[in-house]
Structures are given as structure tokens and as C-alpha cells.
Amino acid sequence: MALRAGAEHVSVPPGKSTLWAAIHVDPVGAGLEHERAPLAVALVLDVSGSMAGDPIANVLASCEIVADLLTERDQLAVVTFGSHAGVRCGLTRVDDAGRAAIKASLVGVVADGNTNMHGGIEVGAGVLVTAPAGLRRAMVVLSDGQPNVGLSSADQLAGFVTSLRPIGVSTLGFGLHHSEDVLVAIATAGSGRYAYIPDPRIARVDLARAALAHGAVVADGLELELALGEGVELVQWLPVASLRHGRGGVRAAIGDIFVDEGRLIAVELALDLGPRETRGRLASLTVSGRAADGSAVSATATLEVDVRAGAPAIDRAVRRDVLFVQGQAARVEARGHADRGATPAAVAVLRAMITRIDALDGFVADDGTPLAELREQLHDEALNYERKANDAERGHQRKATMAAQLHRAHLRQRPLLAARLVGLAGPVAGQTFDLYTETVIGRTAGNEVQIADASLSRAHVRILFVGDRYVLQDLGSTNGALVNGVRVTSAELAPGDLIKLGDAELRFELAS
């Protein structure tokens, strides 16, 4: 990994001032094509009564697919929880015999009882402790409800998951009735990812992605330390973290870095620099953690500015990074206002952030950069808060928003059963769009299908090829997705189905 830091001001005048700095912790070396680390994975499944029927059937089928995707280098366990938690299948090597044993353990699972998520996580951690050395330990927790046995609040469960590190934990939430606040808190504490599953048919895609993601960790258990220079004080640290102050400086845990995802932190500093200094060292930085093989790793950097009279010189790249982190913080602040019913305040926070981004010297809208994508996300969320929606629509949008990652283009793999969308009216009239195993459709250039029209959201829907069928999933869009005139959060597509996304009207067809 590499550590680098830069201040938004290349130079500052002597005396008192404030500035922001951006700190990058980046993966170095092989990219996504690099062979992932071998895994010990525990699938921790909610089998409470609310999962009865299609949800539990699709979850069990998804577990079989995870077993098929893992290799004999990996081990897999299955834990279930309702009122009580238990091991359905202990860690099993994923060779042909192991796959058969894992799949056999899933037969006869019955959904019943309450939601003892704490018990499920505790049992899953106990199983993973037995994993052989050299395997990266990860847990995926799937639930459709609110925890109601044992530790149940977001803070309690996050604290418990933090105590389990270096086990990585990701979460999947089914349907409209799970607690996204709890599952996001668990995934954040476990340096994993939260995915929202409105339709159990698509569970296999996100379950497989969550299980395999932990094999792409470059370094885990990372902590960043800032040793501040003379005349320098820390004012603010974003994203908000639990800070520890000691002789060496200020420290905070910053999670893991993946082969395709580093960490970006922004700090605000108050300066009081002497007039005789020509080069001000604001801070010395150290990041430390564990590599994939368990060995200790660290990197160091310094944060410096020139001290000279006159107006500060601006580093536009650093200011762009700082605005990105501040924009993510604005989303969290706006969500807090909205949850208290103060939607005008939520909208005001987002609109103010958009204005700041638009005013950045050199900013270009929809140029595919992370800041441009974030700007569009802020715009869509403001529209969502302004729009009058029923409780189900608001719940769907909130979950989709909390699960959303800035979209990266997927590998454009064509499924064996080829399909396309034919534009009928609106901004897509006369156009044809091929579909892939995963196709995200939206307003901005980062999508597989771009429909550059204001009636669409940044990432409006995705269409997945699951098994032998295509399923459309709304991604929390403002104007929704209609299939044959009915607004849907997800729907299986059949040839001839009419799809309306904002002002765009399309027909789903199988390619001949």
C-alpha cells in the first residue's frame, strides 16, 4: 500500500489560518485480475419466521452458488439463526465432496422464530476462529428483519463486530422490513459492504460478490496516525471516526483496503505558523495494518506547505478530493435530517454541497470522475427528499441510497441468452441497447447504458441475468421504474415487456 497526503493550499501566509488536507491510502501492485487470497467464509443466514417461502428458498439456492464459485483452496461454513443460532455446516473444504456436503446441509432448513442476529454472528465468528492459517476469514450476514434477541441496536452490534476483527463482515438486507441502519453499521465495523436485496431472486449476485470481495483485501485492520507539527491543531476528521489521542499523535481505525478500493480521509487543520519558517511540516503520517499473509505492513508520509506572504496557492486536485469526502459527509448529515422529518434541512445541505462542487475551478459535470458522479448522486437524493412518496417508496429509496456505491463499469459479459432493449419513445426513440450479465442504466456516463436525460436518475435501474432469466431492479430512482405500466422495485422480464424509465420508453426483447 502507499500513503500520500496533500494540502488544499500549496502555500500559506505566516500566522493563523485553517486549511483542509486529503490523505490517500492506496493499494499498490496487481489489479483485479490478480489471484485473490484463499478464503474461509461463514454464511450466516436469518431463518426467522419472516423468511418463510421464496426468501429462504432463494437464499439457500444462493448458498449453493457461492459453493460453486469457491475453489478447493477455500473453506465454507453455513450458520443459521432464528430465536437461536447453530452451525448447519462447519468449515468445509470446497472440493467436489465438500460441495456435496454443504448442499446436503441446506436440505430441510425451516424458517421459524425470532431474529437473534447477535447469536448468529457470534456462532459464525466461533466457526471462523478454527480456520487454518493462511485463509482470510470473512462472514456474510443475511437478514430480512429487525434484530430482537440479544444485542440488537446498531451501536451494540457494531461494537461486537469490531471486537471480532480481523474477521471481515458484509451484510445483505432482504425486502423492505430489514433495518438498514443495523446492517450498515455491522458492515462498516467489519470493513465490508452492505447490499440491499429487494427481490430474493437476485440474492445470488450480491451474495457471491460479498463473499468473494474479502479475498481482494490488500491490507486489513488499518490505523492512521497523525503526528501534528508545532503550531498545528486538528479541527475535524472525515469520515467521522473514533479518535484516540496519545503521545505519538492522533490515531483512528480506517478499515481495510482492497485491490480496487483504497481509503480517502480529509482533515481540517488550524495553523499558527511562525514568520521565519519557509517550509511548514504540518504533520507526519503513518498507516499500519496487516497484509494478506498476516505480516505487519506500514507506510509513512509527510504533509507540508510553503510559508510565504500573499494569497494561498490552491492545489485543485487536493481540493477536489476534500470536496468528495465532504460530499459523502453531507449525504450522512442530510439523511439524519430526513430521518427526523426535517426534509427541507436535508435538501438545503445537499443543495449547498452541489453549489460548492459546481463552483470548483476546473470542475466538469458528468466527466466520469468520482466527484462528478457524487454530484449527480447528491442531486438525485435532494430530488428524492423533495418528492412526495409513500412509506414503501421512501423505505426503498433509503435502502438503495445507503447501499449505493459510486458505480464502476462492470465487465461487459454477454450471457448465453442474449437480449436487448429497443427504444420506443422519449430520449431513446429509435435506439437499441444490448444487455449484459449486469447492465446499469442511468443518466451519467459511468453506466453501461447512458440515457442523458434529466428524467432519469444517475443510476436508475440495473438489469441482471440470473440463472436463465433477466430481472430488473430499481436502484432507488426518483421517478421510479414501470414495467407494463406498474411501478416496481424489481420484476422478472419477459419478451415484449414495456419498460418506462422517466421519459424513456423501451421494449425488452430476446435477440434472435
Side-chain angles (χ1 to χ4, degrees):
M1 61 185 177
L3 176 65
R4 56 190 173 94
E8 64 173 344
H9 297 159
V10 178
S11 65
V12 296
K16 294 185 177 181
S17 61
T18 61
L19 57 70
W20 282 87
I23 302 166
H24 288 261
V25 185
D26 296 321
V28 175
L32 281 171
E33 70 281 0
H34 183 67
E35 184 176 287
R36 64 167 175 80
L39 290 165
V41 179
L43 302 180
V44 179
L45 314 178
D46 183 347
V47 295
S48 59
S50 57
M51 287 287 288
D54 285 345
I56 194 65
N58 280 282
V59 166
L60 297 178
S62 301
C63 294
E64 294 186 4
I65 289 171
V66 172
D68 289 335
L69 289 173
L70 295 175
T71 73
E72 61 183 16
R73 300 182 308 137
D74 306 309
Q75 295 191 10
L76 182 64
V78 179
V79 171
T80 57
F81 66 92
S83 297
H84 305 282
V87 179
R88 195 80 189 182
C89 177
L91 279 175
T92 302
R93 185 181 178 187
V94 191
D95 52 18
D96 289 343
R99 287 189 184 92
I102 292 164
K103 293 176 182 180
S105 75
L106 300 173
V107 175
V109 173
V110 176
D112 191 24
N114 294 313
T115 308
N116 186 4
M117 190 178 298
H118 168 228
I121 295 172
E122 185 173 41
V123 171
V127 170
L128 289 173
V129 166
T130 68
L135 271 64
R136 183 168 295 281
R137 293 173 288 170
M139 185 188 312
V140 184
V141 180
L142 304 90
S143 179
D144 76 333
Q146 305 271 346
N148 53 23
V149 178
L151 301 180
S152 58
S153 73
D155 288 343
Q156 288 174 329
L157 287 166
F160 179 64
V161 169
T162 299
S163 73
L164 303 178
R165 299 291 288 149
I167 294 174
V169 184
S170 289
T171 58
L172 274 66
F174 285 78
L176 283 175
H177 302 296
H178 72 270
S179 172
E180 62 270 28
D181 291 319
V182 167
L183 294 186
V184 167
I186 290 171
T188 301
S191 200
R193 293 158 183 176
Y194 159 71
Y196 165 45
I197 314 296
D199 185 334
R201 287 172 295 192
I202 63 174
R204 64 190 69 185
V205 175
D206 289 306
L207 176 57
R209 186 168 289 164
L212 295 175
H214 292 277
V217 172
V218 172
D220 65 16
L222 295 180
E223 286 203 331
L224 177 64
E225 180 178 81
L226 269 67
L228 300 173
E230 186 176 352
V232 181
E233 292 184 2
L234 176 65
V235 178
Q236 194 172 173
W237 179 305
L238 294 176
V240 174
S242 178
L243 303 181
R244 305 193 308 280
H245 298 263
R247 292 183 179 179
V250 183
R251 297 176 65 91
I254 61 171
D256 302 348
I257 58 172
F258 298 77
V259 293
D260 62 335
E261 180 185 341
R263 289 283 181 255
L264 176 60
I265 298 98
V267 293
E268 184 183 13
L269 303 174
L271 313 181
D272 187 2
L273 302 179
R276 296 182 180 178
E277 298 180 64
T278 58
R279 189 72 178 165
R281 175 168 289 191
L282 306 184
S284 298
L285 300 90
T286 302
V287 64
S288 56
R290 291 177 295 269
D293 62 3
S295 61
V297 291
S298 65
T300 60
T302 57
L303 178 64
E304 298 180 338
V305 293
D306 288 328
V307 182
R308 61 171 184 258
I314 303 299
D315 186 321
R316 290 194 302 180
V318 173
R319 180 158 284 181
R320 179 182 293 266
D321 289 338
V322 169
L323 277 174
F324 182 86
V325 179
Q326 292 173 335
Q328 295 286 19
R331 294 179 62 214
V332 175
E333 181 183 355
R335 190 180 302 127
H337 287 308
D339 289 346
R340 293 188 294 272
T343 52
V347 172
V349 167
L350 297 176
R351 295 291 184 203
M353 193 69 232
I354 291 169
T355 299
R356 291 183 59 198
I357 293 173
D358 288 343
L360 177 66
D361 186 26
F363 175 73
V364 178
D366 198 22
D367 64 354
T369 60
L371 186 62
E373 287 287 308
L374 176 62
R375 190 258 183 224
E376 297 306 310
Q377 190 168 25
L378 296 169
H379 172 72
D380 287 347
E381 290 179 17
L383 291 179
N384 283 350
Y385 291 136
E386 291 172 330
R387 177 180 175 272
K388 293 186 177 181
N390 60 40
D391 289 344
E393 290 171 344
R394 280 194 296 270
H396 168 68
Q397 288 175 339
R398 187 179 194 276
K399 288 173 170 60
T401 296
M402 293 182 74
Q405 303 287 327
L406 289 178
H407 177 59
R408 301 180 183 91
H410 303 99
L411 293 175
R412 298 192 172 188
Q413 298 174 335
R414 291 299 300 273
L416 295 176
L417 185 64
R420 63 192 177 193
L421 297 177
V422 177
L424 302 177
V428 295
Q431 300 181 59
T432 300
F433 306 98
D434 290 332
L435 297 179
Y436 304 92
T437 53
E438 182 171 1
T439 306
V440 178
I441 303 170
R443 184 179 67 242
T444 61
N447 298 298
E448 281 75 33
V449 173
Q450 181 186 16
I451 302 175
D453 188 86
S455 66
L456 273 78
S457 294
R458 177 190 69 93
H460 200 99
V461 299
R462 66 173 176 168
I463 297 177
L464 301 163
F465 184 69
V466 183
D468 59 353
R469 55 197 171 189
Y470 285 87
V471 179
L472 178 145
Q473 176 192 351
D474 179 80
L475 296 175
S477 64
T478 301
N479 292 321
L482 278 70
V483 176
N484 298 325
V486 178
R487 183 165 180 149
V488 300
T489 56
S490 65
E492 185 177 334
L493 298 176
D497 279 349
L498 300 179
I499 301 169
K500 193 169 190 297
L501 310 175
D503 294 333
E505 298 181 23
L506 307 104
R507 183 174 64 247
F508 173 78
E509 294 182 352
L510 296 179
S512 56

